[in-house]
Amino acid sequence: MKSNADTNDEMSNGVSKTKLILLPPRDGIDFEALPWNLNCPESHKYIHVKTTSGAWETKHYDPSKDEGDVCTSVLSYSSSPLGLSPATTSLNYGTTVWEGLKCFRTSKGRAAVFRPQKNFERFCNGAEALCLPKPSYELFMRGIQTAVQENSDLIPPFGEGMKLYIRPILMGSGQQLGLYPSPEMSLIFYVSPTGNYFKGKAAGGLKLHLETKHCRAARGGMGSVKCSGNYAATLRPLEKAKAQGFNDNLYMELDTYTDGKLEDSIVQELSAANVFVVLKTGEIITPTLDRGTILPGVTRDSVVALVKGCVDELQAVMVESTGDADVKVSVSERDVQVKDFLNATEAFVTGTAAEIVPIASLATGEGEESFDVVLPHGANLPGGPVTAKLLEMLREIMSETRTADWAADWLPDPFATAGVFRQEDVLKRKFDKLESDEG
């Protein structure tokens, strides 16, 4: 299926290639007002490639020629739905992993995809965990690139919080009755434009329920894998929390909870977001990945990098937040206990949708051991001094009004050549530096 977008020719590795042009945002869509949902599906195109060999081959994508099914298997979302049978492996046995990333326009008038390399790492971790064939880095990146290029008029105009959400999916699509790896695998990339997460929201931060009865993930399980089952497990507890007036749940590792000692319990994350706590000591803490029970969020990783790279710039807002002129900013990935919230001046959550959202309160609910903490800095959006500054800095990086050496590979251009989008030169320099440091 050919795109109706304008094209231009260029040479890449000696091969003449056709590159789609970034189109202006489509007329008639109020992009800023779009909810966090599937929007304008009648206008989408998606990418779908399959394998029955248990591996991805050059017919799916050959990076030396920039050719393959991932460049041409473009389907209409509305008129070419997936053809799934009742015995589809992923429907029966949950063999589906997926990613969520975003593309947006920057202040320089170009499009950028935010840190797709990190999504690739997590995608491969999930594929290995669920016995799915891992795509090559080149195939994954070209799938993202094709999906963005084919839907470029759905990339919102430059502005805060608006984005084209991109969802890669890897699933067992073959028919099978029995617990075995699927005889057919599908790699899919689809999109949806979304608006400003904060538009129309209440003025304050999140009112969180500290979940003491339901478990999201346990050590040795799938907590660190972005698979469909991870989210299904949170739906019923989320409905119960909302019925009590909460916005979401903050989950704990229930094997660390002893009745009467709730404050010593270790916390994990929300239904679909990581959590950070700003302590009165100046330390910004987030749960460690070492326990294998939380997702390695891309926004989470970006915030950790921001704090490490901008310690001096964050000093003034940390003083404002804590009221301590001698406080020193630091960031730690470690076990976070419930009692850490009692020593906090701010707390916030991170995710692809809203980037950074403040927490207003954390409390248990009906029939649970009592706990209740109010974080005054979370009463209003965009949050306390530290939370608001981190959101501002992150969005400056995304809009290209702020630059940093440690973020040099964060914003690849999907309308560059495939090799440039993969940032082969940047990655090679990083690899060479690692080898040099180790040597």
Side-chain angles (χ1 to χ4, degrees):
M1 178 177 178
K2 290 186 177 180
S3 167
N4 59 6
D6 295 330
T7 61
N8 73 330
D9 291 331
E10 63 179 32
M11 297 293 292
S12 175
N13 297 324
V15 179
S16 178
K17 305 308 298 175
T18 299
K19 180 181 71 171
L20 300 181
I21 298 297
L22 173 60
L23 297 177
R26 182 175 298 188
D27 292 335
I29 299 177
D30 183 358
F31 284 98
E32 189 176 18
L34 292 176
W36 182 251
N37 209 329
L38 183 67
N39 299 306
C40 314
E42 70 284 352
S43 304
H44 300 182
K45 297 168 188 173
Y46 72 98
I47 318 304
H48 185 189
V49 296
K50 303 176 184 179
T51 182
T52 56
S53 70
W56 302 103
E57 303 162 348
T58 53
K59 69 176 182 179
H60 300 111
Y61 185 58
D62 183 347
S64 68
K65 299 177 180 178
D66 191 28
E67 293 177 353
D69 293 347
V70 78
C71 304
T72 57
S73 295
V74 182
L75 304 169
S76 166
Y77 188 95
S78 59
S79 62
S80 300
L82 293 177
L84 300 179
S85 78
T88 298
T89 312
S90 59
L91 295 181
N92 287 267
Y93 301 107
T95 53
T96 302
V97 296
W98 55 273
E99 273 303 320
L101 57 162
K102 55 196 172 190
C103 176
F104 42 83
R105 298 175 197 258
T106 78
S107 63
K108 296 184 177 180
R110 73 175 184 92
V113 177
F114 188 70
R115 305 194 71 187
Q117 307 93 330
K118 298 297 294 183
N119 296 92
F120 172 71
E121 293 172 10
R122 191 168 62 184
F123 200 61
C124 288
N125 175 61
E128 184 171 355
L130 269 65
C131 294
L132 297 167
K134 293 186 287 187
S136 66
Y137 175 65
E138 292 83 1
L139 173 59
F140 180 82
M141 293 291 281
R142 194 61 175 92
I144 291 171
Q145 196 173 14
T146 305
V148 170
Q149 290 176 351
E150 292 288 348
N151 294 281
S152 71
D153 61 341
L154 293 176
I155 304 173
F158 173 63
E160 276 194 359
M162 295 183 288
K163 59 189 75 73
L164 181 70
Y165 180 78
I166 310 161
R167 178 162 288 186
I169 299 176
L170 180 58
M171 58 182 281
S173 54
Q175 300 185 55
Q176 184 165 277
L177 189 62
L179 190 56
Y180 311 100
S182 177
E184 177 189 271
M185 309 292 183
S186 285
L187 180 61
I188 300 164
F189 300 83
Y190 76 93
V191 303
S192 179
T194 64
N196 188 332
Y197 179 88
F198 292 107
K199 186 167 184 176
K201 300 281 184 182
L206 296 173
K207 182 181 178 182
L208 295 185
H209 171 240
L210 182 61
E211 180 56 71
T212 66
K213 296 181 178 180
H214 296 281
C215 177
R216 176 195 160 271
R219 280 178 283 182
M222 289 286 183
S224 63
V225 177
K226 199 171 181 69
C227 59
S228 299
N230 258 349
Y231 296 87
T234 68
L235 289 174
R236 177 56 61 194
L238 181 58
E239 290 298 309
K240 290 181 178 180
K242 287 182 175 179
Q244 295 185 64
F246 297 102
N247 298 114
D248 205 339
N249 289 308
L250 176 61
Y251 288 89
M252 306 187 304
E253 289 200 14
L254 289 186
D255 64 349
T256 68
Y257 172 35
T258 302
D259 192 31
K261 297 182 179 180
L262 175 61
E263 294 178 7
D264 293 333
S265 304
I266 293 173
V267 302
Q268 294 179 341
E269 61 179 324
L270 280 68
S271 303
N274 295 116
V275 66
F276 283 77
V277 184
V278 182
L279 300 179
K280 297 173 184 177
T281 59
E283 184 186 19
I284 302 172
I285 59 175
T286 191
T288 177
L289 301 177
D290 293 344
R291 301 179 76 88
T293 56
I294 67 170
L295 285 170
V298 176
T299 309
R300 172 194 178 278
D301 184 82
S302 302
V303 169
V304 171
L306 270 171
V307 177
K308 289 179 177 179
C310 303
V311 167
D312 293 341
E313 190 174 348
L314 288 167
Q315 187 65 34
V317 291
M318 184 63 79
V319 170
E320 182 183 354
S321 180
T322 62
D324 182 356
D326 297 321
V327 74
K328 298 296 182 185
V329 177
S330 64
V331 63
S332 301
E333 300 173 71
R334 62 169 174 83
D335 286 342
V336 176
Q337 295 176 290
V338 172
K339 62 186 175 187
D340 284 315
F341 283 85
L342 300 173
N343 190 39
T345 63
E346 304 176 39
F348 57 88
V349 305
T350 60
T352 301
E355 284 109 33
I356 299 173
V357 183
I359 297 172
S361 63
L362 176 66
T364 48
E366 299 170 1
E368 296 178 290
E369 184 177 338
S370 179
F371 181 84
D372 191 356
V373 63
V374 175
L375 300 161
H377 281 308
N380 299 296
L381 297 176
V386 175
T387 304
K389 184 63 175 178
L390 285 169
L391 178 60
E392 174 188 301
M393 293 163 69
L394 179 62
R395 288 187 167 171
E396 286 173 351
I397 290 281
M398 291 167 57
S399 67
E400 294 190 293
T401 56
R402 172 189 291 263
T403 59
D405 290 343
W406 41 265
D409 62 343
W410 283 20
L411 301 172
D413 185 345
F415 292 88
T417 62
V420 171
F421 179 64
R422 293 195 297 268
Q423 298 187 313
E424 292 172 342
D425 291 344
V426 175
L427 296 175
K428 184 177 185 303
R429 286 197 298 271
K430 281 191 170 184
F431 180 75
D432 289 344
K433 184 177 186 305
L434 285 172
E435 282 197 325
S436 176
D437 292 343
E438 291 173 357

